[in-house]
Amino acid sequence: MGWTLMIHGGAGSMRPGVLTDAEDQGAREGLTAALEAGAAILRDGGDAVDAVEAAVRVLEDDPHFNAGRGSVYTWEGRIECDAAIMDGRGREAGAIAGVTATRHPVSLARAVMTESPHVLLSSAGADAFSAHVGQEQATQDWFATPERRRQLDEIKAHPDMPFDSAMKYGTVGAVAVDEAGHVAAATSTGGLTAKRWGRIGDSPLIGAGTYADDRAAAISCTGSGEHYIRLGLAHELCARLRLTDAGLDATADAMVEELTALGGKGGFITVTPQGEARWAFNTPGMYRGVVGRDRPLKVAIYGED
């Protein structure tokens, strides 16, 4: 079926009328730009890993999404980013958590994968590694936006309200299969508004929110991270595809059912080495998009899109 690229920008309460016209249009433009960046690589015979990194970098620079610029604040008023990337060819992976000064967290995750013997670096150590390997740095002011500060102030004024109660801004991710049949996945997030005590979600945890295996699929998740961690959802989906004959649609549906049964909310995107592509979510909407050699570019937000 040729190359395919899928992206997401978070799952949540997005319905027509919940988003303003400007938010709707801005998100769609951001998703389109990310698809075009990744497709330019895959169209020329490039690697899936390069494509998912390129797509996520675009979303990290777009303040409509909760990753990179536009990331949410911690309780203490800091911005701490998490990201992961994985290459399905040899299951190499890199991830970072609690990073405060790298413009493109997904590229730092890739540097962990290619320039270190490790998989996951965190906090001050990850920041130091970022400078050591020459990643582009950015100040906290560059990441910050007035809307994210407003969200933090609202939660701190009402400490009993649920985290990210509006759920309009989410984790970003990309999955791809290239012309050679190799898959890759990447995920990036600012986490939860008002997160405390060094909380880390599923996005940088290989097998929870991010996974890629040429024997099965690539997957990137978004939603209530603690539930994805408990399920090991990303690896579980790939393992079921590899070890059973259930097929992508049935397996994806089963994973959403299990997520829902645990009380989790969110969704995921996934592609197989054969070019099958699927998104699935149990929320009213999910920022998402797909393009491929034989698939016209499409972006969507709401469940009915």
Side-chain angles (χ1 to χ4, degrees):
M1 298 178 67
W3 63 267
T4 297
L5 172 69
M6 300 188 80
I7 61 172
H8 70 74
S13 64
M14 296 83 70
R15 299 181 180 88
V18 172
L19 298 184
T20 66
D21 290 344
E23 288 172 333
D24 181 298
Q25 180 179 350
R28 292 179 190 272
E29 290 174 352
L31 293 169
T32 299
L35 285 172
E36 289 174 343
I41 293 169
L42 294 168
R43 193 177 292 117
D44 290 339
D47 288 342
V49 176
D50 292 335
V52 296
E53 180 186 12
V56 169
R57 282 172 62 96
V58 171
L59 296 171
E60 287 176 338
D61 277 345
D62 191 325
H64 288 94
F65 306 102
N66 174 20
R69 185 166 184 260
S71 289
V72 298
Y73 284 91
T74 68
W75 182 268
E76 296 79 14
R78 288 162 54 85
I79 292 171
E80 298 177 353
C81 299
D82 306 336
I85 194 167
M86 189 166 185
D87 185 342
R89 286 172 290 194
R91 282 169 282 164
E92 291 86 5
I96 52 91
V99 165
T100 64
T102 300
R103 176 170 176 171
H104 290 115
V106 70
S107 294
L108 178 55
R110 187 169 185 180
V112 173
M113 179 174 74
T114 59
E115 300 182 47
S116 87
H118 309 300
V119 171
L120 176 60
L121 301 181
S122 69
S123 304
D127 282 336
F129 177 76
S130 175
H132 175 71
V133 297
Q135 287 290 308
E136 183 177 359
Q137 302 295 286
T139 66
Q140 287 272 295
D141 287 343
W142 188 86
F143 295 108
T145 62
E147 171 64 6
R148 300 298 186 263
R149 172 58 71 173
R150 183 201 63 76
Q151 286 179 278
L152 176 64
D153 292 344
E154 180 182 42
I155 287 180
K156 294 187 81 167
H158 304 89
D160 294 331
M161 72 185 297
F163 283 129
D164 285 338
S165 60
M167 287 188 69
K168 294 195 296 183
Y169 315 100
T171 295
V172 308
V175 295
V177 55
D178 58 32
E179 287 287 357
H182 300 304
V183 298
T187 313
S188 182
T189 189
L192 290 176
T193 300
K195 61 185 179 181
R196 303 179 77 174
W197 305 300
R199 181 265 183 187
I200 297 169
D202 64 304
S203 297
L205 300 186
I206 302 303
T210 307
Y211 203 72
D213 184 345
D214 273 5
R215 301 172 299 172
I219 177 172
S220 174
C221 303
T222 176
S224 49
E226 281 70 15
H227 295 93
Y228 286 86
I229 295 169
R230 290 163 58 194
L231 278 171
L233 192 147
H235 181 271
E236 179 76 6
L237 179 141
C238 288
R240 292 187 188 190
L241 288 175
R242 184 165 58 88
L243 300 173
T244 76
D245 59 1
L248 182 61
D249 285 341
T251 302
D253 289 343
M255 296 314 304
V256 171
E257 289 177 5
E258 292 195 24
L259 176 68
T260 304
L262 281 184
K265 295 181 179 180
F268 55 82
I269 52 174
T270 180
V271 297
T272 70
Q274 293 75 36
E276 299 171 282
R278 174 72 191 269
W279 52 52
F281 52 96
N282 64 1
T283 49
M286 182 169 76
Y287 299 108
R288 59 201 189 275
V290 63
V291 65
R293 189 181 70 185
D294 301 317
R295 288 183 172 93
L297 188 150
K298 175 184 178 180
V299 299
I301 299 177
Y302 312 114
E304 57 268 33
D305 282 351

